[in-house]
Amino acid sequence: MIKIINAIGERDLSIFSREDSKRNEEIEKIVSDIIDNVKNNKDDALKEYTEKFDNVKLDELQVSEEEIDEAFSQVDDYFKQTLIQAKENIEFFHKHQLHNNFMLTKDDGIVLGQRYTAIQKAGVYVPGGTAAYPSTVLMDIIPAKIAGVEEIVMVTPPSKDGKVAPAILTAAKIAGADKIYKVGGAQAVAALAYGTESIPKVDKIVGPGNIFVATAKKLVFGRVSIDMIAGPSEILVIAEPDCNPCCVAADLLSQAEHDKMASAVLITTDKDFAEKVSDEIERQLKKLPREEIARTSIDTNGKIFIVESIDRAVELSNEIAPEHLEISVKKPFEYLPKVRNAGSIFLGENCPEALGDYFAGPNHTLPTSGTAKFSSPLSVDDFVKKSSFIYYSEEALNKAGGRIQDFAEHEGLRAHGRSIGIRFSDEKDKY
């Protein structure tokens, strides 16, 4: 049963920042060995791990066009149209994230500017295991396409029949994946980071995964870029007492069913309302196909905090920095300016977190474990890099040269200064 807490301590505020350093060290050792094996043995290692972890023996790792077309034909038209509409919504939102290049010309022969270029190859990890996530396919591929990434390589674990779920392949076809491979886990991350005979090395790896995938992304960072190191899913709901407890309970359970380590938290101002939500959670849990997962999540990590005001609830939320924040109040826009730390914010009673997971348009790959204090959702920005450029005429360089040489002298880097002065000396005239 979910815990109801009146007096909130500092430890309660770290609910989304759980760490087990000993376990993490053990997992890092396992993952490090997997990465080394993939680096050295490439496709052979991938096939070995696929047989070991997924119980599938594969001759070919890449999903063929025939497999994609077959999967596409198996998915009903209604769901295809749902995926297409979701794609349109995601495109509509993410196109507004594009940046413009700029060039600044000064009167004295100086040109300064900045230009954005897309990374060339992106790797997208799509989880498998206890559920299939076509929504992740859309959310991770579409921003890359909008950014202008030349090649998008998707990896995802196969099911026991050696195939990828039809919904996953259909979403990948609609979103525009260039290559798809039947590989999951830490070994898939290693393949994207270092390349194998089948899988090309990429410049950046994005997408959520279990603790082994997250650890692999952490260990290959620097060799390639990554989006973030995501932890278990989180939801924090701020609710007024006149909200419907049935809806609030359903929203909390929508994240609890992700996995046993997920966290669902409610902050409200009324104890009676808190108890009604608690009762509703127990009632609705019994109806869920994933009851065991959701119940473990609620019993282990679920909490209801009772505070004196909604303003205080927002303050606590900023300290917790949740992945998903629902502000389920009558006038949610009054509180929006006060929110400083949250991955994605859902405003009002008609905006359940699932709306953002699937359909609304903003990205659902979000910072977790309190990292919303300093990081952001996946976006077009994750797939572009910016370069500055400088042009000085001879006259402009001559005018600034003395100050640059003086600056170099103060730093003790005389060759820096000489690279300026030599352009205006007799020394260069011999050429």
Side-chain angles (χ1 to χ4, degrees):
M1 181 171 286
I2 198 165
K3 302 173 185 68
I4 299 176
I5 300 169
N6 287 289
I8 302 166
E10 185 175 340
R11 189 172 180 180
D12 294 315
L13 297 181
S14 63
I15 180 63
F16 294 156
S17 303
R18 303 176 301 276
E19 284 193 10
D20 183 342
S21 57
K22 184 177 180 181
R23 181 169 185 262
N24 288 346
E25 287 177 8
E26 293 169 352
I27 290 173
E28 282 200 14
K29 177 64 171 68
I30 294 169
V31 171
S32 181
D33 289 344
I34 290 172
I35 292 171
D36 286 341
N37 192 7
V38 173
K39 282 169 61 178
N40 294 324
N41 298 299
K42 303 186 182 299
D43 280 358
D44 287 343
L46 296 179
K47 291 175 182 178
E48 171 195 332
Y49 287 127
T50 302
E51 187 171 1
K52 179 178 179 180
F53 297 134
D54 300 307
N55 299 313
V56 178
K57 190 170 185 177
L58 296 176
D59 294 322
E60 294 293 330
L61 298 174
Q62 185 169 0
V63 178
S64 67
E65 287 297 326
E66 290 75 19
E67 287 176 287
I68 296 171
D69 291 341
E70 180 185 0
F72 194 81
S73 69
Q74 292 173 356
V75 173
D76 66 88
D77 289 340
Y78 184 82
F79 185 56
K80 286 177 190 171
Q81 287 302 314
T82 298
L83 290 172
I84 290 168
Q85 287 185 35
K87 176 191 176 186
E88 291 170 352
N89 293 342
I90 296 164
E91 285 177 334
F92 173 77
F93 179 82
H94 287 79
K95 282 179 179 178
H96 286 80
Q97 296 176 337
L98 286 167
H99 296 280
N100 293 321
N101 299 334
F102 65 83
M103 187 164 66
L104 311 170
T105 303
K106 301 178 76 173
D107 294 336
D108 49 0
I110 298 172
V111 179
L112 307 173
Q114 182 171 280
R115 60 191 298 266
Y116 290 85
T117 55
I119 63 174
Q120 290 181 280
K121 292 183 181 181
V124 173
Y125 187 93
V126 178
T130 58
Y133 298 102
S135 57
T136 295
V137 177
L138 300 181
M139 292 289 181
D140 289 3
I141 291 178
I142 291 170
K145 297 291 285 189
I146 291 170
V149 174
E150 291 179 12
E151 185 174 21
I152 299 171
V153 181
M154 190 180 101
V155 292
T156 190
S159 54
K160 287 184 172 55
D161 60 1
K163 297 181 178 181
V164 176
I168 294 288
L169 293 182
T170 299
K173 183 180 178 73
I174 288 170
D178 295 301
K179 295 177 180 177
I180 306 169
Y181 295 91
K182 294 180 260 189
V183 182
Q187 62 271 25
V189 174
L192 291 172
Y194 291 94
T196 72
E197 295 93 344
S198 297
I199 300 178
K201 178 190 178 304
V202 301
D203 302 306
K204 184 161 190 172
I205 302 171
V206 304
N210 62 20
I211 185 65
F212 293 94
V213 171
T215 301
K217 287 169 70 177
K218 176 183 175 183
L219 293 181
V220 300
F221 176 65
R223 174 75 180 186
V224 293
S225 178
I226 63 171
D227 53 348
M228 63 188 78
I229 302 169
S233 191
E234 311 156 358
I235 186 170
L236 191 155
V237 179
I238 294 173
E240 291 173 329
D242 56 357
C243 288
N244 190 315
C246 180
C247 295
V248 173
D251 291 358
L252 293 169
L253 289 172
S254 72
Q255 290 307 290
E257 74 170 349
H258 264 296
D259 70 67
K260 293 179 180 181
M261 293 296 292
S263 297
V265 174
L266 166 65
I267 307 180
T268 188
T269 58
D270 184 80
K271 186 176 180 181
D272 289 340
F273 176 74
E275 290 173 348
K276 288 177 183 176
V277 172
S278 177
D279 291 342
E280 267 299 314
I281 288 172
E282 289 301 310
R283 184 184 70 82
Q284 293 183 34
L285 269 169
K286 297 171 185 175
K287 298 184 176 183
L288 295 179
R290 294 167 68 89
E291 178 186 355
E292 182 189 358
I293 292 171
R295 185 174 292 281
T296 301
S297 166
I298 291 294
D299 290 348
T300 306
N301 302 314
K303 284 183 169 61
I304 300 177
F305 297 138
I306 300 171
V307 296
E308 63 272 20
S309 68
I310 298 298
D311 280 318
R312 177 58 177 154
V314 174
E315 289 177 6
L316 290 174
S317 175
N318 283 331
E319 286 297 311
I320 294 169
E323 178 188 17
H324 306 96
L325 170 63
E326 288 188 15
I327 305 179
S328 190
V329 300
K330 289 292 188 291
K331 297 179 179 179
F333 286 94
E334 290 185 6
Y335 296 97
L336 180 59
K338 300 176 183 180
V339 177
R340 297 181 61 86
N341 304 320
S344 191
I345 306 164
F346 302 82
L347 299 169
E349 297 180 67
N350 299 311
C351 198
E353 183 278 330
L355 184 63
D357 263 356
Y358 299 118
F359 203 72
N363 211 281
H364 81 190
T365 301
L366 304 168
T368 63
S369 305
T371 60
K373 288 183 177 180
F374 52 80
S375 56
S376 308
L378 190 75
S379 71
V380 170
D381 288 343
D382 281 284
F383 300 98
V384 297
K385 48 196 168 51
K386 52 183 178 286
S387 302
S388 57
F389 58 87
I390 304 166
Y391 168 83
Y392 266 53
S393 67
E394 183 179 357
E395 180 183 359
L397 182 61
N398 191 18
K399 183 178 178 180
R403 294 196 180 279
I404 299 168
Q405 291 176 81
D406 180 61
F407 214 138
E409 285 291 329
H410 277 79
E411 291 196 346
L413 298 172
R414 188 158 295 177
H416 279 62
R418 277 182 53 78
S419 72
I420 302 293
I422 203 167
R423 283 170 162 77
F424 303 99
S425 73
D426 295 338
E427 194 174 338
K428 73 177 179 67
D429 292 342
K430 60 183 178 181
Y431 297 102

